[in-house]
Amino acid sequence: MPIDSDEVSLPRATVQKIISEVLDPEYTFSKEAREIITKSGIEFLMILSSMASEMADNDCKKTIAPEHVIKALTELEYNQFIPFLQQRLYEYKGTQKVKEKRDDKFKKSGLSEEELLRQQEELFRQSRSRLNNNVVMKKIVVIIIAWIHNKIHSYLFYIFAFFI
Amino acid sequence: MDPSPEQPHNATLAHVSSPDGGNEHMHQLVDEPLTQVFDRVKTHFPPAKIKKIMQTDEDIGKVSQATPVLAGKALECFIALLVQRSCAAAGEAGARRVSGEILRDTILHDEQFDFLRDTVCGGQARDVADDSSTV
């Protein structure tokens, strides 16, 4: 079984977070202990994958499915994990349904992706020009107010101010 | 599908074989049911990362989309289990800090982690395991 576990590792922060969630608050975990946890975790994942792959083969399936992972846990005598995996699968299927609904809505609008992109560009352009108009309006107002208050009669000043 | 997992917790601890009295004493300290421990885990590994690691093994072929999600959950449970067991061992030894040595000890003396023995310490592991089983 060719494994090069030096190439990949688990995200350190995630491992640390899980340790903190589980660990009794009175205890601390040394750095070395955390590294052993990470290494052990990877090893477990590889053993689980290998067994799940075997379960898929037994089923004459080319793709490893969730049921194969669950069967693998039984084979490896980690049955106590199974209810939690089933719970996770249930949640995952729920979020997939939400995604599908969103995708369906997109398809139902009857517009192609290109057309939608064009519409989006148009909206951006409109809002940009609205923004520009606002800025010009504000400049005009500022200049008028300045004139009223200071009665600056230098026309050069106005021309300059307009282009700032 | 039943969304709330119920599992008789005591049965999971009984599964671990204890060749010596020391092991049993250690497990008596783990009075918190494992299901409660697993429920505390809220963090998830990113499925993409899990899939990547799984596929470093050339023999692993295609995986369905939900598979890395479940494998990730199993990994989270596994880490929780290891943390819980080593924490109990530390308590047993009167330590508040779970050191690398305590963790290694836990792995070497617990049957459920026998596949980790080589990872944790090369050739020594087999000698230690043999010692504990001759008692």
Side-chain angles (χ1 to χ4, degrees), chain A residues 2 15 24 46-47 62 92 100 103 138 146 149:
Chain A
V15 174
D24 198 303
M46 300 318 289
I47 302 261
K62 282 192 181 152
Y92 177 74
E100 272 168 40
D103 287 345
K138 279 184 184 156
H149 284 287

mmCIF file of all heavy atoms in Angstrom, chain A residues 2 15 24 46-47 62 92 100 103 138 146 149:
data_model
loop_
_atom_site.group_PDB
_atom_site.id
_atom_site.type_symbol
_atom_site.label_atom_id
_atom_site.label_comp_id
_atom_site.label_asym_id
_atom_site.label_seq_id
_atom_site.Cartn_x
_atom_site.Cartn_y
_atom_site.Cartn_z
ATOM 1 N N PRO A 2 1.081 1.843 -1.148
ATOM 2 C CA PRO A 2 2.010 2.987 -1.230
ATOM 3 C C PRO A 2 1.412 4.245 -0.591
ATOM 4 O O PRO A 2 0.475 4.816 -1.112
ATOM 5 C CB PRO A 2 2.196 3.183 -2.744
ATOM 6 C CG PRO A 2 1.055 2.513 -3.396
ATOM 7 C CD PRO A 2 0.440 1.563 -2.433
ATOM 8 N N VAL A 15 -6.996 20.536 13.927
ATOM 9 C CA VAL A 15 -6.665 19.494 14.907
ATOM 10 C C VAL A 15 -6.669 20.095 16.303
ATOM 11 O O VAL A 15 -7.247 19.532 17.236
ATOM 12 C CB VAL A 15 -5.294 18.851 14.601
ATOM 13 C CG1 VAL A 15 -4.904 17.887 15.704
ATOM 14 C CG2 VAL A 15 -5.307 18.146 13.259
ATOM 15 N N ASP A 24 -10.680 18.000 28.684
ATOM 16 C CA ASP A 24 -11.126 18.508 29.975
ATOM 17 C C ASP A 24 -10.421 19.841 30.214
ATOM 18 O O ASP A 24 -9.209 19.923 30.038
ATOM 19 C CB ASP A 24 -10.701 17.479 31.040
ATOM 20 C CG ASP A 24 -11.459 17.643 32.328
ATOM 21 O OD1 ASP A 24 -11.417 18.746 32.906
ATOM 22 O OD2 ASP A 24 -12.073 16.652 32.758
ATOM 23 N N MET A 46 -6.003 6.632 6.535
ATOM 24 C CA MET A 46 -5.517 5.761 5.471
ATOM 25 C C MET A 46 -6.039 4.329 5.646
ATOM 26 O O MET A 46 -6.437 3.689 4.678
ATOM 27 C CB MET A 46 -3.985 5.756 5.427
ATOM 28 C CG MET A 46 -3.336 7.112 5.180
ATOM 29 S SD MET A 46 -4.153 8.123 3.919
ATOM 30 C CE MET A 46 -3.737 7.225 2.451
ATOM 31 N N ILE A 47 -6.040 3.860 6.884
ATOM 32 C CA ILE A 47 -6.535 2.513 7.156
ATOM 33 C C ILE A 47 -8.032 2.438 6.811
ATOM 34 O O ILE A 47 -8.505 1.467 6.217
ATOM 35 C CB ILE A 47 -6.337 2.148 8.645
ATOM 36 C CG1 ILE A 47 -4.873 2.232 9.040
ATOM 37 C CG2 ILE A 47 -6.947 0.800 8.957
ATOM 38 C CD1 ILE A 47 -4.156 0.932 9.071
ATOM 39 N N LYS A 62 -17.039 0.702 -8.277
ATOM 40 C CA LYS A 62 -15.777 1.388 -8.548
ATOM 41 C C LYS A 62 -15.627 2.642 -7.699
ATOM 42 O O LYS A 62 -14.527 3.143 -7.493
ATOM 43 C CB LYS A 62 -15.699 1.759 -10.033
ATOM 44 C CG LYS A 62 -15.342 0.600 -10.914
ATOM 45 C CD LYS A 62 -14.987 1.049 -12.318
ATOM 46 C CE LYS A 62 -14.653 -0.180 -13.182
ATOM 47 N NZ LYS A 62 -14.946 0.065 -14.603
ATOM 48 N N TYR A 92 -25.763 16.394 5.864
ATOM 49 C CA TYR A 92 -25.151 16.693 4.573
ATOM 50 C C TYR A 92 -26.189 16.609 3.454
ATOM 51 O O TYR A 92 -26.242 17.476 2.574
ATOM 52 C CB TYR A 92 -24.007 15.722 4.310
ATOM 53 C CG TYR A 92 -23.344 15.894 2.965
ATOM 54 C CD1 TYR A 92 -22.502 16.973 2.719
ATOM 55 C CD2 TYR A 92 -23.580 14.993 1.933
ATOM 56 C CE1 TYR A 92 -21.904 17.137 1.485
ATOM 57 C CE2 TYR A 92 -22.981 15.154 0.703
ATOM 58 C CZ TYR A 92 -22.144 16.220 0.469
ATOM 59 O OH TYR A 92 -21.557 16.383 -0.744
ATOM 60 N N GLU A 100 -29.590 22.169 -4.350
ATOM 61 C CA GLU A 100 -30.299 21.785 -5.566
ATOM 62 C C GLU A 100 -31.435 22.755 -5.861
ATOM 63 O O GLU A 100 -31.676 23.120 -7.001
ATOM 64 C CB GLU A 100 -30.850 20.367 -5.434
ATOM 65 C CG GLU A 100 -29.867 19.302 -5.860
ATOM 66 C CD GLU A 100 -30.313 17.912 -5.452
ATOM 67 O OE1 GLU A 100 -31.519 17.631 -5.562
ATOM 68 O OE2 GLU A 100 -29.460 17.136 -5.000
ATOM 69 N N ASP A 103 -30.014 25.842 -7.389
ATOM 70 C CA ASP A 103 -29.619 25.600 -8.779
ATOM 71 C C ASP A 103 -30.847 25.541 -9.691
ATOM 72 O O ASP A 103 -30.820 26.033 -10.820
ATOM 73 C CB ASP A 103 -28.831 24.294 -8.892
ATOM 74 C CG ASP A 103 -27.421 24.458 -8.318
ATOM 75 O OD1 ASP A 103 -27.014 25.616 -8.120
ATOM 76 O OD2 ASP A 103 -26.748 23.445 -8.081
ATOM 77 N N LYS A 138 -22.723 66.617 -5.994
ATOM 78 C CA LYS A 138 -22.161 67.074 -4.721
ATOM 79 C C LYS A 138 -21.148 68.192 -4.951
ATOM 80 O O LYS A 138 -21.112 69.176 -4.218
ATOM 81 C CB LYS A 138 -21.498 65.911 -3.987
ATOM 82 C CG LYS A 138 -22.503 65.052 -3.243
ATOM 83 C CD LYS A 138 -21.845 63.948 -2.437
ATOM 84 C CE LYS A 138 -22.912 63.066 -1.807
ATOM 85 N NZ LYS A 138 -22.411 61.734 -1.518
ATOM 86 N N ALA A 146 -19.970 77.382 -1.331
ATOM 87 C CA ALA A 146 -18.730 78.152 -1.140
ATOM 88 C C ALA A 146 -18.914 79.571 -1.666
ATOM 89 O O ALA A 146 -18.509 80.548 -1.034
ATOM 90 C CB ALA A 146 -17.584 77.447 -1.834
ATOM 91 N N HIS A 149 -21.168 81.599 0.668
ATOM 92 C CA HIS A 149 -20.541 81.987 1.930
ATOM 93 C C HIS A 149 -19.345 82.911 1.739
ATOM 94 O O HIS A 149 -19.145 83.832 2.519
ATOM 95 C CB HIS A 149 -20.120 80.762 2.732
ATOM 96 C CG HIS A 149 -21.277 80.081 3.404
ATOM 97 N ND1 HIS A 149 -21.917 80.607 4.486
ATOM 98 C CD2 HIS A 149 -21.908 78.930 3.105
ATOM 99 C CE1 HIS A 149 -22.918 79.796 4.845
ATOM 100 N NE2 HIS A 149 -22.927 78.770 4.021
#
